[in-house]
Amino acid sequence: MTEAPSSRRTVLVVEDNPGDARLVELFLLGETADPFRILKAANLADGLAALEAEHVDVVLLDLSLPDSFGLETLARIRASRPLVPVVVLTGTNDEVLALEALRQGAQDYLVKGGGDGDVLRRSIRYAIERSRIDIALRLSEDRFRAVFQNAGVGVVLSEPDGRIVQANPAFCAMVGYDEAELTSLRFQDITHPEDVARTGALREDMRAGGRESVHLTKRYVAKGGRVVWGRLTVTAVREANADGTDVRFTVTVVEDVTERKRLEDHMRLAATVFENSGDGLFVTDDCCNIVHVNPAFTEITGFEADEVLGKTPKVLSSGRHGGDFYERMWESLRSSGKWQGEIWDRRKSGEMFAGWQNIAAVRNSLGEITNYVAVISDITSRKQVEERLSYQANHDPLTRLPNRTLFHERLSRAVARAHRNQSLVALLFIDLDRFKQVNDTLGHLAGDLLLQQVAERLTGATRQGDTVARLSGDEFTVILEDVQDPRDAAVVAHKILHMLVEPFDLAGHEAHISSSIGVALYPADAGDPQTLIKLADAAMYRAKHLGRNGCQFHSEAVNAQAFERLALENALRLALERHEFHVYYQPIFDFRTGKVVAVEALLRWRHPEVGMVVPAQFVSLADETGLILPIGRWVLEIACTQAQKWRRERLRDLELHVNLSSRQLRQPELVEDIAVALEASGLPPSALVLEVPESSVVDKGLDAGALFARFNALGLGLAIDEFGSGYSSFAFLRRLPANALKMAQSFVRNVANSTDDSEIVTAIVAVARGMHMKVVAPGVETPEQLAFLSSFGCDRVQGFLLARPMSAEDMDAFLARAELPAALTKTVSA
């Protein structure tokens, strides 16, 4: 269909009378300012065809046509093009027909010959304009209807008095009534009774002109009694009269906020609980940074919110729990999203406190963790009460030692651990001799004071991990765990015997007692705690019957061995003051020249009765008992003095090697003792080489780096002894100021007949070269060993093949001869 030019209006004249049609045409064309475009049809069929083929702005329709008559003609035109305005032309002035034509959609009704061209043109323009307005209005109504029916929020039209005129589907769904039911109600009928007065007052204020719209949140009572929260905007539509004050109707837009109100109430409740809870609460983000804490958290921990926000809960860490504890916690959080348990934290003041914590992960709609929420209950007081009650139930009130109950529990645990670790447990059963006489003579108060002092001495005679218990009266027990040798138990027993025989001061009265001790060993003597107790008790009675103030093992064989060690220890204690120790020296040779470059100081003990005691029999015992400290100090003084004498008289560049044990390395005064020995002897620090076992280098209980740095600052030489027997890393060795590696003797012993050991020796030499250290090969006893070590590139060598350890006098003569050992002659010449 072709559109007419926008400057001309197209008029379709449907008229079967040619004269009338021509007259209409003349009337319309008579206006030259804005002429119409004329289309003509002599019957209805041609008119309908023209409507199909052309754009038509208005139809002038004669109701009496050859193929149609009356209002049916109008109806068919309207059915074909409902939006095209129609002006009816008729030959009769029939008012009834005119009104009916207008009711059926005609824009105007004109009688032929009843007017002039102006009337006709005005009628056509009016029809076109009115049709345009009708179309726009219909479009507006359609749009409104679409919005009204499909809006996601409720829309309600109501009378000024509140009677509902119309409600859209969204509102009907909101309150559960259909539109027909709502139109029989007023807003008051579905408003919650508590909100009726407030809502009515706001409507009255709007009706009176006080406001044009109202915004409020109120409750509806839906069908069935359900309460619905709505957020309303009520707007007044007023009459178009002179003052425009009368309200025609109101438009109410309602948003259902029931769920939002529920969430707000829930959040308000949660916030109230969070802020007022007696338990400490804190929230972190997914990276464990604290984002919120409540007042109780501050009260419990002492930290204000701004002191912990952005930090992790590690700020509370007490250091009491190991990494495995936190790993188990995170495993639970990862698997189940929650964890609860007892945890010790630290307050801002530094005080530790016990807390029961519940931690839960918070996830979003995608299942991703967004937060963690933790609840802390301070259970310190409860724990203290529990511990106090537990202590009272498990400890003797007089001596504060574990009582019989706790003793049995600890003995069972000690036996179980020893079974797992394949170690020994020693049980000492102690009975006080002559306690009854003290009690009867000086009174019960003195007896109680004596028991308390005995408890203190027993505790002082044992290690921290051992258990001293009071069973009843004057009976005490000691549980020794991780016993390496039965003789260790004998050492403790005799220490106790000596301590308890010393006089006791009982409020000004001196008392003398002694003790009888029985010892039984697990698993050597018994395989269960009860039998162990019986055997130790029996051994104690045997000691008492043998004269008191003594100790007896359940096993006679162990008894003999244990006291053999005690005898050795007692003799060792006297050896230093009786001048039974001697320092021997063994030369260390340079592989290239065959000359002596150093001597190693070696301790020897000449016992007046048994003769020479080899170091393997007493050095470890001296180390265990701590006697190695004064003995080592004496060796340093003697050896430094002798070495300086040889440097002045024999070899100017002679070095002195002195061995240090792990206990000596832990001695705080070690560096001071070395400095004193050097100053007294005049030996230069660079001439003293300290040989330190590799096992001490990797000992976690020793800060080797700091100690060796002090050696280095003093100018001392340092050699790592028994290298290859431990697990020190090369990176660690590189940080130590060591000058030499002294390989383990086991490698030297097997180097000639073991491929593995020869490869290890090669590796040790390579490591030493890489770290610019010398390699010393000790313990060489055969020419084959010497030949192999020479081929590997060792720097220095010592051993029985070349020279045995000798006294200072013999060493002086050896240095004076300045002879190369025969075994080294071939190596040097080669």
Side-chain angles (χ1 to χ4, degrees):
M1 183 165 53
T2 305
E3 292 285 344
S6 60
S7 61
R8 302 178 66 194
R9 301 296 182 180
T10 300
V11 180
L12 173 61
V13 180
V14 184
E15 173 62 66
D16 61 334
N17 188 320
D20 291 341
R22 178 59 181 162
L23 182 61
V24 169
E25 184 179 7
L26 291 174
F27 280 157
L28 295 179
L29 294 177
E31 184 181 11
T32 57
D34 186 14
F36 291 98
R37 175 170 172 261
I38 308 300
L39 300 177
K40 292 188 287 184
N43 52 52
L44 182 59
D46 291 343
L48 292 175
L51 283 174
E52 288 291 331
E54 297 280 353
H55 170 79
V56 175
D57 292 297
V58 67
V59 176
L60 292 180
L61 178 66
D62 183 5
L63 294 181
S64 299
L65 297 173
D67 51 355
S68 180
F69 181 75
L71 293 176
E72 182 183 353
T73 307
L74 175 62
R76 292 178 66 184
I77 288 290
R78 293 279 298 151
S80 175
R81 284 290 183 269
L83 299 181
V84 177
V86 178
V87 175
V88 173
L89 292 174
T90 180
T92 59
N93 190 4
D94 187 338
E95 187 174 344
V96 174
L97 180 62
L99 290 174
E100 188 60 31
L102 292 175
R103 263 197 303 271
Q104 292 190 20
Q107 292 292 342
D108 205 349
Y109 185 93
L110 297 178
V111 180
K112 295 178 185 179
D116 55 19
D118 290 338
V119 173
L120 179 60
R121 287 192 293 273
R122 187 167 52 252
S123 178
I124 289 174
R125 288 196 181 91
Y126 168 75
I128 293 172
E129 185 61 25
R130 182 173 177 183
S131 175
R132 187 185 63 78
I133 294 172
D134 286 347
I135 290 171
L137 182 60
R138 191 175 297 112
L139 276 173
S140 177
E141 289 177 349
D142 289 344
R143 289 171 184 158
F144 171 77
R145 174 59 58 187
V147 172
F148 185 83
Q149 293 296 328
N150 298 289
V153 295
V155 181
V156 183
L157 304 181
S158 57
E159 298 285 354
D161 62 356
R163 187 170 301 280
I164 296 172
V165 176
Q166 198 172 3
N168 74 338
F171 185 77
C172 293
M174 196 182 302
V175 297
Y177 293 97
D178 59 32
E179 189 175 17
E181 291 173 312
L182 287 173
T183 54
S184 64
L185 302 172
R186 296 184 305 164
F187 83 89
Q188 297 93 328
D189 299 329
I190 58 173
T191 298
H192 193 281
E194 296 178 7
D195 295 341
V196 169
R198 179 171 63 97
T199 307
L202 290 172
R203 275 184 164 270
E204 285 302 316
D205 188 24
M206 189 167 61
R207 286 182 65 183
R211 61 182 72 205
E212 291 303 310
S213 63
V214 172
H215 302 279
L216 74 153
T217 300
K218 59 176 269 188
R219 289 164 290 179
Y220 289 105
V221 180
K223 193 173 184 178
R226 177 172 54 90
V227 175
V228 178
W229 280 91
R231 180 167 293 166
L232 283 65
T233 299
V234 185
T235 305
V237 179
R238 302 186 181 278
E239 294 283 358
N241 51 20
D243 54 12
T245 57
D246 294 339
V247 177
R248 291 179 56 197
F249 58 88
T250 61
V251 178
T252 303
V253 178
V254 185
E255 179 186 1
D256 187 348
V257 294
T258 306
E259 183 62 21
R260 189 184 308 171
K261 282 290 293 183
R262 187 188 68 78
L263 290 175
E264 288 176 357
D265 292 344
H266 179 74
M267 291 175 66
R268 190 177 300 108
L269 176 63
T272 302
V273 171
F274 188 91
E275 293 299 321
N276 296 284
S277 171
D279 292 330
L281 297 166
F282 67 89
V283 182
T284 76
D285 58 20
D286 59 327
C287 296
C288 294
N289 299 307
I290 297 174
V291 297
H292 196 43
V293 300
N294 72 339
F297 174 89
T298 298
E299 184 177 344
I300 292 172
T301 67
F303 286 100
E304 297 292 339
D306 58 358
E307 293 177 305
V308 296
L309 293 182
K311 299 180 180 178
T312 69
K314 288 182 180 179
V315 71
L316 302 176
S317 177
S318 66
R320 184 165 177 171
H321 303 286
D324 56 341
F325 173 86
Y326 293 103
E327 182 56 38
R328 288 193 299 272
M329 173 193 292
W330 279 107
E331 179 60 32
S332 176
L333 283 170
R334 284 190 291 266
S335 60
S336 65
K338 58 186 178 181
W339 176 86
Q340 64 175 354
E342 182 181 306
I343 186 169
W344 283 88
D345 283 327
R346 194 178 295 278
R347 307 186 205 274
K348 182 182 177 180
S349 63
E351 174 194 3
M352 285 203 301
F353 70 97
W356 184 265
Q357 280 197 29
N358 284 273
I359 306 174
V362 180
R363 299 180 183 274
N364 59 19
S365 58
L366 300 177
E368 301 167 334
I369 293 177
T370 57
N371 299 93
Y372 293 98
V373 179
V375 182
I376 306 175
S377 300
D378 189 348
I379 59 172
T380 308
S381 299
R382 190 182 81 195
K383 289 288 293 183
Q384 289 171 343
V385 171
E386 290 175 355
E387 289 173 0
R388 186 165 59 251
L389 292 174
S390 175
Y391 186 88
Q392 292 172 353
N394 291 289
H395 288 78
D396 171 43
L398 177 64
T399 64
R400 299 186 180 276
L401 293 176
N403 60 14
R404 185 181 295 274
T405 302
L406 185 55
F407 161 73
H408 282 287
E409 179 184 328
R410 290 197 178 171
L411 182 58
S412 296
R413 290 182 181 175
V415 167
R417 279 194 291 267
H419 177 71
R420 287 195 305 269
N421 301 332
Q422 299 294 302
S423 59
L424 296 177
V425 174
L427 175 61
L428 280 61
F429 217 97
I430 306 167
D431 186 78
L432 303 183
D433 303 327
R434 296 190 297 277
F435 171 74
K436 187 175 185 302
Q437 291 90 321
V438 173
N439 212 28
D440 293 343
T441 304
L442 300 179
H444 292 296
L445 290 179
D448 289 346
L449 186 58
L450 175 61
L451 292 173
Q452 289 173 337
Q453 293 184 22
V454 167
E456 290 177 5
R457 294 189 186 185
L458 290 176
T459 303
T462 56
R463 299 167 301 180
Q464 187 173 6
D466 298 330
T467 297
V468 179
R470 181 191 178 203
L471 300 191
S472 63
D474 60 345
E475 287 187 339
F476 295 84
T477 59
V478 176
I479 303 171
L480 303 177
E481 294 193 59
D482 297 323
V483 176
Q484 303 301 317
D485 189 283
R487 289 173 292 187
D488 297 335
V491 171
V492 176
H494 274 259
K495 186 187 294 185
I496 292 172
L497 290 174
H498 292 315
M499 294 178 76
L500 295 185
V501 83
E502 294 291 328
F504 290 86
D505 182 6
L506 305 179
H509 297 281
E510 187 175 276
H512 293 269
I513 64 169
S514 60
S515 59
S516 299
I517 303 175
V519 184
L521 301 170
Y522 169 89
D525 299 331
D528 63 90
Q530 294 305 319
T531 306
L532 199 64
I533 294 171
K534 291 178 182 178
L535 296 181
D537 189 27
M540 181 271 292
Y541 276 106
R542 191 163 66 251
K544 191 176 284 288
H545 292 152
L546 289 174
R548 303 185 178 184
N549 192 29
C551 172
Q552 284 290 311
F553 279 76
H554 167 70
S555 168
E556 292 294 338
V558 172
N559 211 56
Q561 294 172 1
F563 291 109
E564 180 185 342
R565 171 183 165 124
L566 283 176
L568 180 63
E569 182 182 337
N570 290 332
L572 195 59
R573 292 180 184 276
L574 298 173
L576 189 60
E577 58 188 71
R578 292 177 177 176
H579 307 292
E580 296 173 4
F581 289 119
H582 302 274
V583 179
Y584 274 46
Y585 302 90
Q586 186 176 27
I588 299 174
F589 299 90
D590 186 289
F591 243 124
R592 292 181 296 103
T593 64
K595 294 180 180 180
V596 175
V597 291
V599 292
E600 181 180 358
L602 300 169
L603 182 65
R604 293 291 183 267
W605 178 18
R606 190 179 299 278
H607 193 279
E609 296 176 4
V610 300
M612 190 68 76
V613 182
V614 295
Q617 292 179 302
F618 71 88
V619 170
S620 61
L621 180 60
D623 198 50
E624 292 173 20
T625 58
L627 292 171
I628 195 68
L629 300 181
I631 294 172
R633 194 177 302 117
W634 176 82
V635 169
L636 265 173
E637 294 171 0
I638 296 298
C640 286
T641 301
Q642 182 62 63
Q644 180 61 9
K645 181 175 182 294
W646 284 329
R647 285 172 62 89
R648 286 196 306 266
E649 299 175 358
R650 304 295 182 197
L651 291 173
R652 185 178 60 184
D653 297 326
L654 185 70
E655 293 179 359
L656 171 66
H657 286 226
V658 176
N659 293 282
L660 296 178
S661 69
S662 296
R663 184 181 284 269
Q664 287 176 285
L665 291 170
R666 290 192 180 89
Q667 180 191 5
E669 298 84 8
L670 175 61
V671 176
E672 182 181 349
D673 290 344
I674 294 172
V676 169
L678 290 173
E679 185 176 359
S681 65
L683 183 70
S686 60
L688 178 58
V689 178
L690 302 176
E691 293 192 4
V692 178
E694 185 186 18
S695 57
S696 299
V697 172
V698 297
D699 186 354
K700 293 182 179 178
L702 175 68
D703 187 357
L707 178 61
F708 297 166
R710 295 181 67 189
F711 291 163
N712 189 48
L714 198 58
L716 304 173
L718 179 65
I720 308 302
D721 194 15
E722 288 293 314
F723 185 77
S725 60
Y727 299 96
S728 55
S729 70
F730 295 155
F732 183 59
L733 287 175
R734 188 181 295 277
R735 295 197 299 270
L736 299 178
N739 310 102
L741 297 180
K742 195 170 186 179
M743 66 180 68
Q745 290 195 31
S746 59
F747 300 141
V748 176
R749 190 176 301 116
N750 300 319
V751 70
N753 49 29
S754 171
T755 303
D756 291 341
D757 286 342
S758 64
E759 290 177 350
I760 292 175
V761 171
T762 303
I764 291 174
V765 173
V767 169
R769 293 286 178 267
M771 294 189 290
H772 307 291
M773 298 182 186
K774 292 184 174 64
V775 180
V776 182
V780 177
E781 298 177 354
T782 68
E784 291 78 14
Q785 293 170 350
L786 185 66
F788 270 94
L789 292 168
S790 175
S791 66
F792 292 143
C794 293
D795 299 293
R796 295 181 176 184
V797 62
Q798 71 181 120
F800 286 0
L801 177 66
L802 309 176
R804 290 177 173 272
M806 53 192 92
S807 65
E809 295 78 10
D810 292 341
M811 177 58 72
D812 188 57
F814 181 85
L815 294 176
R817 290 194 300 271
E819 295 176 356
L820 270 67
L824 273 178
T825 305
K826 296 179 181 180
T827 305
V828 172
S829 61

